Amino acid sequence: MISYPKEKINVLLLENIHQDAFDLFQKDGFNVRALSYAMNEEELLKEIESIHVLGIRSKTNITEPVINKAKRLLTVGCFCIGTNQVRLEEAEKKGIPVFNAPYSNTRSVAELVVAEIVMLARRVPDHIQNTHSGKWNKISKNCFEVRGKTLGIVGYGHIGSQVSVLAEAMGLKVVYYDTQTVLPLGNATPLNSYEELLSVSDFITFHVPENENTMNLYGKKEIQLTKKGAYVINLSRGKVVDLEALAEALKSGKIAGAGIDVFPEEPESNNDPFITPLQQLQNVILTPHIGGSTEEAQKNIGTEVASKLLKFVNNGSTSFAVNFPNLEISPIPPGSYRILNVHKNQPGFLKDINAMVSEIGANITSQHLGTSAEIGYLSMVIDKSVGDELKEKIEKHPGSIKTRILY
C-alpha cells in the first residue's frame, strides 16, 4: 500500500504506448488512460494539473511551462530511447525523475540498418519503383555485394555495437568512431577521427544522440570528405544529417544512396503531409521513423519503462532515471513509513532533517541520500507513529522541493 490511494493516482499514456504498459498500471490499481496521439503544449497545459504519471514517446514535448504547471506530477516515462523531448533540468529542479528505455529497441534498429545496407548496395529502391510502374530493368551495373566492403559506424553505443556484430556476420569490415573510448566487439576497429572514418567507409551509419555537438554532424563539409560512391544511413536523430546537402550530393553522384528514417521536422500524426528534399531521388530509402517500431521492441519498451515508473511510485527507487540521483531502494519494512524528499543540494539539509527526527524522538531504521549538482534525493524509513508529523516538518524546510510518504 502507498499513502495516497492508487485508484486516485492518474496515469496518462500518449502516442500509442504498448498495451502491456497500460495493463501493468491497471493491474496495480492505478487510474490509467491511454491515447493514440501526441499532445501539443496547449493540450498538455489543460491536462497536466491532474496527472501524476505521464508516459510519452518522441513527439510529445514536455516544455518548461508544462513542468511548472504540473503540480501533481511525480514522474515522466519516455517510452523510447531519446529524452531530448523533455526539459530534463527543469524536471529535476521540480523533483520529477524521467525514465526511458535505452536498450529495448536495439535489435530492431540494428536489423533495419543491415537490411538497408544490402538494399542500397543492390539499388533495390530503384528496382522496386521501376517494377511497380511496369518497367522491367534487370541490370547488374552499380549493384554490389556487401561482403568485403567497409562499414563506418559513427557512435558505438548500444545500437552501433549491435549493428557492428550483425554487419560483421554479413562479411563487412567494420570501423567505428566514438567520442568515448569504447571496447570493440568482434573484429571492429576503432578509428582516431571522424574524418578518417568518412574517407575509408563504403557505408556510413549514424547512431548518436541529439545535442549541440551532433547538430548537422553530416553536412557539406563532411560530404566532401566522404569516399565517392559511399552510402549514408541515419536512423538516429533527424537533425544529425543536413538533408539539403545530402540531396545535392545524391544528385551529383558523390553519394550513391541513402537510407533516412528520421527527419528534422516530422508530422504530428499519420494524417499530416510530409515533405523532404530527398523525395523522388534515386536509390533513396525513406521511412517514417520506424527504426524501433516492431511488435517486439514496443512490447519490451512498454514493459521496461512501465516497470521503472511503478517501482518509483510504489517504493521510491530511481534506478536508471536519466536526470535524477539513482537510488535502488528495498521494500518498506512492516509497521514503518518511508519518507521520500527532494531538496535543493545545499549544505546542512541532512543535518536539519536529523535534528527534526531527534526532536520528536523518532528512530531512523534506514536512510539513503543521493545528490546531483542541483538536488538531493533522500529516502528515510522511520516509525509509523511519527511519520505524518515528520513529513509536515520536512515540507516546511526552506530547501525542500517535494516530499511524499509511503507505507
Side-chain angles (χ1 to χ4, degrees):
M1 293 291 293
I2 60 173
S3 58
Y4 193 70
K6 287 188 178 181
E7 66 272 13
K8 293 184 179 180
I9 294 179
N10 299 320
V11 180
L12 178 60
L13 304 177
L14 301 175
E15 302 184 63
N16 248 348
I17 288 169
H18 197 275
Q19 181 68 30
D20 279 13
F22 181 95
D23 293 343
L24 283 170
F25 283 110
Q26 191 174 63
K27 184 178 179 180
D28 210 24
F30 292 87
N31 178 34
V32 55
R33 182 163 54 114
L35 300 174
S36 62
Y37 55 87
M39 283 189 177
N40 59 34
E41 184 180 77
E42 183 179 352
E43 292 170 320
L44 274 175
L45 288 171
K46 292 178 181 178
E47 291 275 355
I48 200 65
E49 283 189 285
S50 64
I51 301 303
H52 299 89
V53 178
L54 179 62
I56 62 171
R57 291 177 70 186
S58 57
K59 287 188 172 66
T60 302
N61 290 304
I62 311 301
T63 61
E64 187 173 347
V66 172
I67 291 171
N68 289 335
K69 198 173 183 181
K71 304 302 181 185
R72 292 180 175 84
L73 190 62
L74 297 174
T75 182
V76 172
C78 296
F79 286 74
C80 50
I81 293 178
T83 56
N84 56 293
Q85 67 274 42
V86 182
R87 291 292 297 271
L88 295 177
E89 291 182 2
E90 296 303 320
E92 180 191 29
K93 291 174 184 177
K94 296 291 183 180
I96 303 169
V98 177
F99 298 90
N100 69 335
Y103 313 113
S104 292
N105 69 357
T106 298
R107 180 71 183 197
S108 296
V109 178
E111 286 185 1
L112 186 57
V113 170
V114 173
E116 292 195 358
I117 288 171
V118 175
M119 288 193 290
L120 292 171
R122 299 291 297 274
R123 302 193 72 85
V124 170
D126 293 347
H127 291 312
I128 290 174
Q129 186 175 10
N130 288 336
T131 310
H132 270 287
S133 62
K135 182 179 180 181
W136 188 264
N137 190 25
K138 182 181 177 181
I139 60 171
S140 59
K141 185 179 180 180
N142 295 326
C143 296
F144 307 99
E145 293 182 357
V146 300
R147 180 178 53 177
K149 304 298 189 296
T150 299
L151 170 64
I153 301 174
V154 183
Y156 202 74
H158 306 303
I159 295 175
S161 59
Q162 283 300 302
V163 170
S164 171
V165 172
L166 295 178
E168 195 171 306
M170 294 287 292
L172 284 147
K173 176 185 176 182
V174 178
V175 298
Y176 69 89
Y177 173 74
D178 199 293
T179 56
Q180 306 293 322
T181 301
V182 187
L183 182 69
L185 299 181
N187 295 311
T189 303
L191 298 182
N192 293 323
S193 71
Y194 174 41
E195 291 75 16
E196 182 184 2
L197 180 143
L198 297 176
S199 68
V200 302
S201 299
D202 299 298
F203 300 89
I204 302 163
T205 180
F206 293 90
H207 300 286
V208 296
E210 182 179 303
N211 56 45
E212 59 183 14
N213 296 320
T214 61
M215 200 80 73
N216 288 328
L217 182 64
Y218 192 73
K220 289 183 179 180
K221 175 186 174 184
E222 291 73 25
I223 289 170
Q224 291 303 313
L225 297 173
T226 300
K227 182 178 181 180
K228 181 175 172 55
Y231 305 83
V232 175
I233 298 171
N234 183 25
L235 277 73
S236 60
R237 291 292 178 265
K239 295 181 180 179
V240 168
V241 174
D242 181 341
L243 298 186
E244 296 282 354
L246 179 60
E248 291 302 316
L250 286 160
K251 292 174 184 176
S252 71
K254 172 70 174 181
I255 301 299
I260 304 296
D261 183 54
V262 289
F263 302 86
E265 295 182 7
E266 298 181 356
E268 291 187 4
S269 76
N270 290 344
N271 298 319
D272 295 331
F274 171 66
I275 299 174
T276 173
L278 300 178
Q279 285 164 330
Q280 310 306 321
L281 297 183
Q282 290 189 332
N283 206 30
V284 173
I285 300 170
L286 300 178
T287 47
H289 205 147
I290 59 165
S293 295
T294 61
E295 289 287 345
E296 294 91 345
Q298 293 308 308
K299 180 181 176 66
N300 291 339
I301 289 170
T303 301
E304 180 183 345
V305 180
S307 298
K308 291 175 181 177
L309 296 172
L310 283 166
K311 194 171 183 181
F312 169 71
V313 175
N314 286 338
N315 88 339
S317 288
T318 55
S319 296
F320 306 110
V322 298
N323 68 329
F324 224 73
N326 278 210
L327 290 185
E328 180 65 28
I329 303 175
S330 59
I332 307 168
S336 300
Y337 272 10
R338 168 168 288 145
I339 293 179
L340 299 167
N341 171 263
V342 184
H343 55 271
K344 297 175 185 176
N345 187 6
Q346 59 189 35
F349 184 88
L350 189 58
K351 177 184 176 182
D352 294 344
I353 300 304
N354 289 335
M356 293 177 190
V357 175
S358 298
E359 287 174 8
I360 60 177
N363 179 51
I364 299 175
T365 304
S366 66
Q367 189 178 68
H368 301 277
L369 175 67
T371 61
S372 68
E374 293 288 339
I375 65 167
Y377 181 52
L378 173 67
S379 168
M380 186 165 54
V381 176
I382 58 169
D383 296 335
K384 185 176 181 180
S385 59
V386 296
D388 294 323
E389 181 182 356
L390 182 57
K391 176 178 178 288
E392 290 180 9
K393 287 180 175 291
I394 294 175
E395 284 179 328
K396 293 176 181 177
H397 191 286
S400 184
I401 297 171
K402 181 179 290 186
T403 306
R404 66 188 180 109
I405 192 165
L406 304 176
Y407 61 81

